[in-house]
Structure formats: structure tokens, C-alpha cells
Amino acid sequence: WYEYSKYPFIWEAGQKCQYAIYKNNGNGTVAVKNVGTYVVINKSHSVQGTAKVIAPGQLAVAFRNQTADEPNYLVLGTDYDNWVVVYSCKNVSSFAHTKIIWILTRQRQPTDEAIQQAKQILKDNLLSEDFMMTSTQTDCPDVNAHDNAGSDTADQDAAASTVSHQSNFDLSSTTTPSVFEIA
């Protein structure tokens, strides 16, 4: 999945060409690899994590040494073939919270129709587009090529599997095999 746009997110500052690869671990969890390219040095960087389905459209995603047992990524809507809207909100104190929204697409350069459908999900959920930043997806390294972040054959297989079985990806189910069979 390619990142089309997002709310500002500190961990992606200075990056372009962000995408995510999902791979079924076979144990009720999914490996998540988020990749981006630092603009200034033109070098790829990746972070790996784990996701598990908590309820329909609710994922607990943890990166590095984090743990997550409660949903922190909510799938607000998807057409499974072209776009998905993901929402995350976390309290950082009794007075403050962080909110992140991503529009992810199957194509690095999605159609206007796909983006309008995804943006309708924001409107339907009364979420502002004012803070959305369009991600740069031009002059990007080849997803299937080896990059400086250590992409390997498993990443290539996961990317190919995700693309070739797009319509089977079902986040509305709590049954892990049907949700992540092709992730």
C-alpha cells in the first residue's frame, strides 16, 4: 500500500515514497514493514512491526519494542482494490491527544476517483482534511528492487502477493486467516 496523504506524522518527517508491505506470520499476526526514502540523502529507511486484528476494522499495531493489545489503527473505509482510510488517535495526557489519518492506495499514482472515494470517508466521519498532507510519490526507488534498508525476497513476495490478491483482503472479519491470508 502506498501512502497518498496523511496528517503530519513525526516519524515520517523528511521522507517521500512511503509504502507498507504486509505479510501473514501464520500465528494470528501480520508482519508490517513501512518504508520511506529520506529526501535529503536519498536513502531508504524502514521500520518493522506486528499487527493483529482485535475486531472488525480494528488493529493493534506495534513497532520496534512496543506492545499493543488494544486497537490503535481503525480502518474507517476501504474498497479493497484501490484505497483504504486508516485512523489512529492516542491520548498523551488528560489534556492532549495525537490524531493521525492516512489515505493509502494500491497505486503509487491513484486515480482521482479513488481519492474522492477515500476523502468521502473523511467527510462521513466528520474528520477534517485541513491537516492532510499529500505524500510525494515521484522519483521513487523500485519497490521490488533491493534498497538500502535491506529489502529482501520476502518483501518482494509479500508485495507481489498483496497486489495479486487485492480483492481477497478483508479487514471486516475478525478471523485472522480471512483477514490476512494474502496480506
Side-chain angles (χ1 to χ4, degrees), residues 15-20 33-37 44-47 147 149:
Q15 293 185 33
K16 68 175 188 173
C17 305
Q18 297 95 331
Y19 65 91
K33 183 174 183 180
N34 290 341
V35 181
T37 300
S44 293
H45 167 75
S46 67
V47 61
D147 63 23

Side-chain angles (χ1 to χ4, degrees), residues 143-173:
V143 171
N144 292 320
H146 292 294
D147 63 23
N148 294 331
S151 292
D152 57 20
T153 305
D155 292 340
Q156 295 169 20
D157 292 345
S161 174
T162 300
V163 171
S164 66
H165 294 93
Q166 304 170 36
S167 60
N168 295 332
F169 193 72
D170 180 8
L171 289 176
S172 63
S173 170

Side-chain angles (χ1 to χ4, degrees), residues 74-176:
L74 306 176
V75 177
L76 299 181
T78 184
D79 75 348
Y80 299 97
D81 295 321
N82 301 294
W83 58 268
V84 63
V85 177
V86 178
Y87 173 85
S88 179
C89 185
K90 179 180 179 179
N91 289 329
V92 291
S93 74
S94 57
F95 301 105
H97 67 276
T98 61
K99 185 186 301 184
I100 306 167
I101 300 170
W102 293 271
I103 295 177
L104 306 176
T105 59
R106 292 282 191 182
Q107 308 270 309
R108 199 176 281 280
Q109 303 299 326
T111 65
D112 290 339
E113 179 183 359
I115 297 309
Q116 291 310 313
Q117 290 173 358
K119 286 182 176 183
Q120 185 62 49
I121 297 299
L122 298 178
K123 291 175 188 167
D124 292 348
N125 285 279
L126 305 175
L127 297 169
S128 174
E129 289 183 50
D130 292 345
F131 302 106
M132 295 296 285
M133 300 171 40
T134 302
S135 303
T136 301
Q137 291 289 348
T138 56
D139 298 322
C140 298
D142 182 1
V143 171
N144 292 320
H146 292 294
D147 63 23
N148 294 331
S151 292
D152 57 20
T153 305
D155 292 340
Q156 295 169 20
D157 292 345
S161 174
T162 300
V163 171
S164 66
H165 294 93
Q166 304 170 36
S167 60
N168 295 332
F169 193 72
D170 180 8
L171 289 176
S172 63
S173 170
T174 57
T175 308
T176 302

